Amino acid sequence: MTDGVTDGVERARALLDDAARTLRAAGVPDEALGEYVEPKAVLGIRREPTMRSLGRVWRVGALLIGASVETGGRVWATGSITRVTDPGRAQFQSVSAEVRRAYRAAAAKGHFGAGDTVNHGATPIPLDATLVGSDAVLFVADGVPLVRWSPAAGAAVPLDDYLADRVGLLVEPPRGATD
């Protein structure tokens, strides 16, 4: 016997799996998923932060959908995004510029490919009963999986409509979007 809770969670899983299959079949490029790691000092010597690879994902707006063996069947709320480039030297122009530089340096140290996009600080979203009534980006209400742009956003849209729109844009980008 099923109920609205189980149906909503199963529907979310099925929609996300369908989205992953569509993205894979269309050859949509994936991105890296990483974890920012600040190593502990060893014998009093401070080591530089790095990013550890967690696998590959597709960024679908507010969601990251697993694209590799390590991440398949899983979803995250989008966190921060860093492009792997030469971090350059510290300029101390602004705190935000230095934070971005530190993330680029950590990504480069983590052996991600030059030019790769690394998603980090992403929040895992369990695809289970905790979706029901959640205040996260992905949740289930009245048996329907819904998504909002951020946990703070009040408005939500049905996950099926959201994925149809966002995946459609990735599979067939508007003319001039990728030129």
Side-chain angles (χ1 to χ4, degrees):
M1 180 173 173
T2 62
D3 57 24
V5 170
T6 304
D7 291 346
V9 172
E10 288 303 317
R11 179 78 178 131
R13 280 190 195 128
L15 289 166
L16 292 162
D17 288 345
D18 287 347
R21 277 191 291 278
T22 300
L23 292 164
R24 183 172 289 107
V28 173
D30 58 16
E31 299 176 348
L33 177 64
E35 177 183 37
Y36 185 78
V37 178
E38 219 166 309
K40 295 183 187 310
V42 175
L43 299 173
I45 300 171
R46 186 174 168 258
R47 297 182 298 159
E48 293 297 316
T50 187
M51 282 203 199
R52 181 173 67 91
S53 176
L54 299 176
R56 306 293 294 181
V57 294
W58 287 288
R59 187 168 12 117
V60 183
L63 301 173
L64 300 174
I65 299 174
S68 63
V69 171
E70 301 88 354
T71 62
R74 296 171 53 204
V75 65
W76 293 259
T78 301
S80 299
I81 301 163
T82 299
R83 174 90 48 185
V84 182
T85 61
D86 178 9
R89 295 182 332 179
Q91 301 286 322
F92 302 105
Q93 293 177 357
S94 70
V95 172
S96 62
E98 288 306 306
V99 167
R100 288 190 307 272
R101 190 192 71 70
Y103 283 139
R104 286 192 309 271
K109 189 171 177 74
H111 306 291
F112 292 95
D116 200 1
T117 299
V118 181
N119 295 275
H120 56 98
T123 305
I125 301 173
L127 296 175
D128 59 23
T130 61
L131 287 178
V132 179
S134 170
D135 61 357
V137 171
L138 178 63
F139 64 102
V140 173
D142 298 323
V144 178
L146 301 164
V147 67
R148 51 174 82 94
W149 279 102
S150 74
V157 297
L159 180 61
D160 54 353
D161 294 342
Y162 179 85
L163 289 173
D165 181 50
R166 302 300 302 186
V167 170
L169 287 171
L170 290 170
V171 170
E172 294 183 38
R175 191 176 173 142
T178 58
D179 295 343

